[in-house]
Amino acid sequence: MDKEAITKIRNDFPILKQKINGNRLAYLDNAATMQMPVPILHKINSFYQTSYANVHRSADTLGFNATKQYEEARGKVASFINAADANEIIFTSSCTDSLNLVAATYGEQNIHEQDEIVLTIMEHHSNLLPWQQLAKRKGAILKYIDLTESQTLDWDDVKKKITAKTKIVAIAHASNILGMMNPIEEVIKIAHQVGAVVVVDGAQAVSHFPVDVQKMDADFYAFSGYKMLAPTGIGVLYGKKQLLDQMTPYRFGGEMISNVTKYDATWADLPQKFEAGTPNIVGAIGLGYAIDYLHEIGMNRIQTYENVLSKYLMQKIEKLDFVAIYGPKEDHTGVFSFNLKNIHPHDVATALDMQGIEVRAGHHCAQPLMHRLGVESTVRASLSFYNNKEDIDQLIAGILETEEFFNGTK
Amino acid sequence: MGLNNLRTFYQALVLDHASHPRNKKEMKEATAIQTVHNPSCGDMVNIFVKVQNEKIIDVSFTGSGCTISQASASMLTQSVKDKSVSEALEITKIFSDLAIGKEHTSDEIEKLGDAAVLTQVMQFPARIKCATISWWALEQALLKKG
């Protein structure tokens, strides 16, 4: 994307134009949440003002139209990740909720004592705790695939940990800390050879590069709306139809039933079976608008542009000898975790914040990975397609100022 | 540049306490030990207190964390050493109150000693937890075994 295209995009995000602590804002916390562009805000506003109604209940015009839009959003999500069928898309409240759904239904039904569940050590808590707790409930064995020396997925360990006893493999498509994509298709192939089901956490993937669940042959794929321009409180679970069909419901209540008598009930077909109660209607429709917006720019263009930004950031940051960068140096995604020598990440984040640079500091909901890396926490700067080189220059200047402030005065 | 603002918060006293923490050691003969985690960053503080006849005759801490959390724990040990349990609890309350923007008289604030400078943390809402974590640990330790 050229400068003109980026300027046009940035104009859709007025939040980027405000000052933070007296300085130009460099919003570099996109892995935590992405901002929402004006066209989506307008469409959501307009939906509330002209079309708001509950879905799948009323036969009136508003109810019918709201249902139509809600289901159209499902269709948009299906084509966005290339699902074979819109009924394979379940609207949940978040990526976390989606992963919990799989653990509480498929996991609860299919995991038995001594079965093995394989994770990677880089999973964030959402794709770790549901499996850890399932394993505890069932007496199953939890195994973690380790990292290589360059802090990428250890391929030898993948082949060692996935065995005939493996029933579930849970893996992130892209790491929220290490700044890399996992070789997801290859992992799925190995898992399928032993009959295991693969759950992919796509939270850090969907707004950064094209995702094709059929091509990768994922059994389940989970992600959140707020990391791809949509509101919070909406998430997606994709599951292969044959798997979703055999799963029991997760929550019980309105609109997920076929027939209810005093002492028994039968369940609705997909996807309603998993969407008890009034869903996040505006969230789902907003997610549909987000997909329209992303399509308009083009996922391939987004990926290409973010690669340019990532390379630029890596080039600049790796020259700073007091900065430790985690994850591989090559093929880096837009997520950069790092630490400054002798300065705690929280102090770094406050100093950057004072200079208008918004990053995250902490363990990024991945304490086992922090432990593996030998740190308590890190600073994380994460890019999106509305960032520009100026944001990166500001970050680098901010890091230099921070280093001087703390290590110069001590 | 925005770092002028930062300078008032991370003043020399804070930086000094962080790089040369006072009473940072394990205490074998402690009468109460309390561990507190900061769940957002994984930081941890252990507070050790030795109470005899309702008086804190020794207090120390271990753990790891940012400049603010380390300086705060260090200052805390100086503020409450040789104080009675009830005085220490009062000081703890004053600190916690100030950190969330509540007001106290200058006489009360004086009881905090060096730690009074840390109450500026209210200008940095994201950092309040870093400053208060060790004080929560102290309070819990004292209430556990006053």
Side-chain angles (χ1 to χ4, degrees):
Chain A
M1 284 190 277
D2 58 16
K3 210 163 176 191
E4 204 180 323
I6 298 303
T7 307
K8 190 169 165 282
I9 286 170
R10 285 177 68 85
N11 283 338
D12 281 343
F13 296 85
I15 196 166
L16 302 177
K17 289 186 183 146
Q18 71 176 313
K19 294 209 158 178
I20 293 289
N21 296 312
N23 291 288
R24 174 191 182 274
L25 167 63
Y27 184 76
L28 297 171
D29 200 10
N30 295 289
T33 193
M34 277 182 72
Q35 300 297 339
M36 204 186 287
V38 166
I40 296 180
L41 286 165
H42 280 169
K43 283 185 183 175
I44 288 174
N45 191 25
S46 160
F47 177 79
Y48 266 123
Q49 290 183 359
T50 63
S51 311
Y52 188 54
N54 208 329
V55 293
H56 289 300
R57 283 158 176 78
S58 316
D60 57 53
T61 303
L62 276 183
F64 177 80
N65 285 339
T67 304
K68 191 164 165 271
Q69 288 200 53
Y70 179 75
E71 290 305 325
E72 275 170 7
R74 195 189 306 278
K76 287 180 196 175
V77 174
S79 76
F80 184 61
I81 59 169
N82 195 31
D85 186 334
N87 290 332
E88 295 178 318
I89 303 299
I90 314 292
F91 285 127
T92 64
S93 65
S94 62
C95 182
T96 300
D97 192 34
S98 300
L99 294 164
N100 274 278
L101 191 161
V102 181
T105 55
Y106 183 87
E108 201 62 44
Q109 285 173 276
N110 295 288
I111 293 295
H112 306 288
E113 209 173 332
Q114 296 301 311
D115 281 347
E116 293 179 0
I117 302 173
V118 176
L119 315 182
T120 82
I121 194 65
M122 75 181 78
E123 298 313 310
H124 71 155
H125 296 162
S126 303
N127 201 25
L128 189 158
L129 287 164
W131 310 115
Q132 179 195 74
Q133 295 302 307
L134 175 69
K136 282 180 81 165
R137 285 199 301 277
K138 296 287 186 169
I141 296 160
L142 213 55
K143 283 176 155 182
Y144 287 92
I145 298 167
D146 201 4
L147 305 178
T148 61
E149 266 178 34
S150 58
Q151 296 175 351
T152 57
L153 192 74
D154 185 338
W155 189 243
D156 290 335
D157 208 32
V158 171
K159 289 186 274 190
K160 212 158 47 185
K161 295 281 163 63
I162 298 177
T163 70
K165 288 184 173 174
T166 308
K167 293 289 182 293
I168 291 176
V169 176
I171 180 168
H173 196 170
S175 166
N176 72 326
I177 291 168
L178 297 172
M180 33 72 87
M181 283 162 69
N182 279 317
I184 211 77
E185 283 182 38
E186 289 84 347
V187 172
I188 291 174
K189 220 170 270 165
I190 297 245
H192 283 172
Q193 277 165 13
V194 300
V197 154
V198 182
V199 186
V200 184
D201 168 6
Q204 298 296 340
V206 282
S207 71
H208 302 289
F209 48 83
V211 169
D212 186 331
V213 290
Q214 288 193 82
K215 184 160 174 272
M216 74 175 75
D217 202 17
D219 298 294
F220 296 102
Y221 195 95
F223 57 96
S224 286
Y226 66 93
K227 288 183 171 141
M228 52 179 292
L229 315 171
T232 53
I234 186 75
V236 169
L237 174 67
Y238 157 82
K240 281 182 181 163
K241 193 166 178 299
Q242 71 190 89
L243 291 170
L244 293 173
D245 270 335
Q246 57 171 267
M247 280 152 56
T248 49
Y250 176 43
R251 300 183 198 287
F252 300 87
E255 297 304 321
M256 50 76 67
I257 51 94
S258 168
N259 187 42
V260 180
T261 61
K262 265 167 88 178
Y263 300 106
D264 210 355
T266 51
W267 314 128
D269 288 336
L270 292 174
Q272 266 71 39
K273 182 169 80 172
F274 294 106
E275 294 182 6
T278 294
N280 184 349
I281 301 164
V282 178
I285 290 170
L287 180 59
Y289 299 149
I291 288 169
D292 295 341
Y293 188 91
L294 289 168
H295 272 320
E296 213 167 293
I297 303 174
M299 289 311 296
N300 285 317
R301 273 176 87 207
I302 287 174
Q303 184 177 22
T304 306
Y305 176 66
E306 287 185 15
N307 276 343
V308 171
L309 282 187
S310 301
K311 281 209 177 83
Y312 184 72
L313 204 168
M314 182 58 94
Q315 233 171 44
K316 297 234 160 184
I317 201 168
E318 69 179 349
K319 284 196 187 122
L320 308 177
D321 59 2
F322 55 89
V323 176
I325 307 157
Y326 304 102
K329 297 272 165 73
E330 302 294 324
D331 295 325
H332 213 85
T333 66
V335 171
F336 287 78
S337 283
F338 57 92
N339 270 320
L340 272 58
K341 215 178 194 171
N342 299 327
I343 316 176
H344 191 281
H346 261 177
D347 297 318
V348 176
T350 299
L352 292 177
D353 180 37
M354 289 299 104
Q355 301 170 80
I357 304 151
E358 306 295 73
V359 296
R360 180 163 171 202
H363 52 58
H364 317 291
C365 300
Q367 283 182 314
L369 176 61
M370 293 289 116
H371 187 72
R372 171 65 180 81
L373 298 175
V375 294
E376 290 288 348
S377 52
T378 71
V379 185
R380 180 184 70 189
S382 49
L383 304 167
S384 81
F385 61 85
Y386 49 65
N387 287 118
N388 56 17
K389 288 189 173 171
E390 219 176 332
D391 292 329
I392 292 167
D393 292 340
Q394 194 175 337
L395 172 70
I396 298 298
I399 290 173
L400 285 165
E401 286 255 2
T402 305
E403 154 69 11
E404 199 192 320
F405 180 85
F406 284 101
N407 288 335
T409 34
K410 261 187 195 173
Chain B
M1 209 43 189
L3 289 191
N4 286 335
N5 196 3
L6 198 63
R7 215 167 293 281
T8 62
F9 183 38
Y10 285 92
Q11 51 184 278
L13 188 62
V14 175
L15 295 174
D16 179 58
H17 269 274
S19 49
H20 308 289
R22 325 306 197 247
N23 304 305
K24 187 169 182 180
K25 58 173 195 271
E26 246 183 78
M27 197 200 301
K28 293 247 158 37
E29 63 281 16
T31 52
I33 301 168
Q34 185 66 44
T35 303
V36 175
H37 294 269
N38 185 347
S40 68
C41 58
D43 288 352
M44 182 191 67
V45 174
N46 302 299
I47 291 280
F48 303 83
V49 283
K50 188 177 178 188
V51 176
Q52 260 175 20
N53 302 325
E54 285 300 299
K55 191 176 164 189
I56 299 173
I57 57 169
D58 203 3
V59 52
S60 69
F61 78 102
T62 60
S64 60
C66 59
T67 301
I68 302 306
S69 73
Q70 295 299 290
S72 186
S74 168
M75 289 169 169
L76 167 153
T77 62
Q78 288 192 321
S79 303
V80 300
K81 200 172 174 187
D82 296 325
K83 298 281 192 312
S84 73
V85 169
S86 60
E87 276 176 311
L89 284 170
E90 190 199 343
I91 291 171
T92 304
K93 175 143 186 14
I94 294 169
F95 185 87
S96 306
D97 280 355
L98 290 168
I100 56 165
K102 286 190 187 166
E103 291 191 359
H104 276 276
T105 65
S106 52
D107 282 355
E108 286 170 327
I109 293 170
E110 213 167 284
K111 290 182 183 175
L112 294 176
D114 285 357
V117 305
L118 270 182
T119 57
Q120 291 177 54
V121 75
M122 72 185 92
Q123 294 168 36
F124 298 81
R127 305 301 301 280
I128 289 172
K129 208 184 276 174
C130 308
T132 49
I133 179 173
S134 55
W135 296 80
W136 295 346
L138 174 74
E139 188 182 28
Q140 287 172 25
L142 292 175
L143 293 175
K144 196 153 72 176
K145 203 164 186 179

